[in-house]
Each structure stands twice: as structure tokens, then as C-alpha cells.
Amino acid sequence: MTNPHDPYGQQQPYGLQPYQPPQQYYAQPYGALRPPDQGMAVASLVCSLIGLVMCFPAILGIVFGHIALSKAKRGEAGGQGLAQAGLVVGYVVTGLWLVPLILWFVFVVLAIGAAGVS
């Protein structure tokens, strides 16, 4: 009797299977895990710190911080701490820039009002 799965047509006794060499399993090396993307969080902190010199980058730092924080909370990116630091620094720097701006505006309005009265 011939085995239909035997391509060489050798006779096998009933119930015996042909010899199968053991399968060799090779260990697959794990690749280096890529750290989570935290570019927006870094941009937030850098822009907020540059905002100490110029006002506008601090506003960009706030925007980047909110985007990075939402991505970090969803698990799409890392750098939640950097994003929070960028937000805090951005809001503080923006506040520090707004105080002199508001005082200047009040001074101009008062000066114009005082000049118009007399």
C-alpha cells in the first residue's frame, strides 16, 4: 500500500508515519525600540523659552504644548512632562509680556484723555 502523501512512492506500514526531522526554531532578535515621538513637546518648551526674548514664540509654545499634551494623553507620542513644562512657561512668559503692554495701553489712553481735557 502506498502513501498518497509520499512523493517517492515508498511503502509504509499502516499506522507509521515517515520520519520527520525536528523543526528548528531560530530566535528572532528584537530590534531596538524607537522612543516615542516628542518633537512637539520639545518645540513647545523651546518656543516658550525663546518667548522670554520675543513675545510671539511664547504663543506658539502654548499652541505646540496643547497639541503635544493631547497626543501624549492619547498615547500617540511621548513627552508629556515636556509639554506641560512648555505650557507653564508659555503662559507665564505671555503673562509677563501682557502686563507691560496693558500698562502702556493704559498710560497712552490716560495721556490722550488728559491732553484732550485741557
Side-chain angles (χ1 to χ4, degrees), residues 1-4 6 9-19:
M1 165 167 151
T2 61
N3 187 353
D6 188 12
Q10 295 175 349
Q11 295 281 337
Q12 296 290 331
Y14 182 74
L16 294 177
Q17 297 294 325
Y19 172 74

Side-chain angles (χ1 to χ4, degrees), residues 38 41-42 44-45 68-69 72 78-88:
Q38 53 189 4
V42 172
S44 168
L45 187 58
L69 192 61
Q80 185 172 1
L82 284 173
Q84 288 174 342
L87 279 172
V88 168

Side-chain angles (χ1 to χ4, degrees), residues 21-38:
Q23 292 183 348
Q24 293 182 349
Y25 295 101
Y26 297 101
Q28 295 293 325
Y30 290 104
L33 295 177
R34 188 173 159 260
D37 182 31
Q38 53 189 4

Side-chain angles (χ1 to χ4, degrees), residues 42-62:
V42 172
S44 168
L45 187 58
V46 169
C47 286
S48 296
L49 290 174
I50 292 174
L52 289 168
V53 180
M54 300 177 292
C55 180
F56 185 69
I59 297 169
L60 287 176
I62 293 171

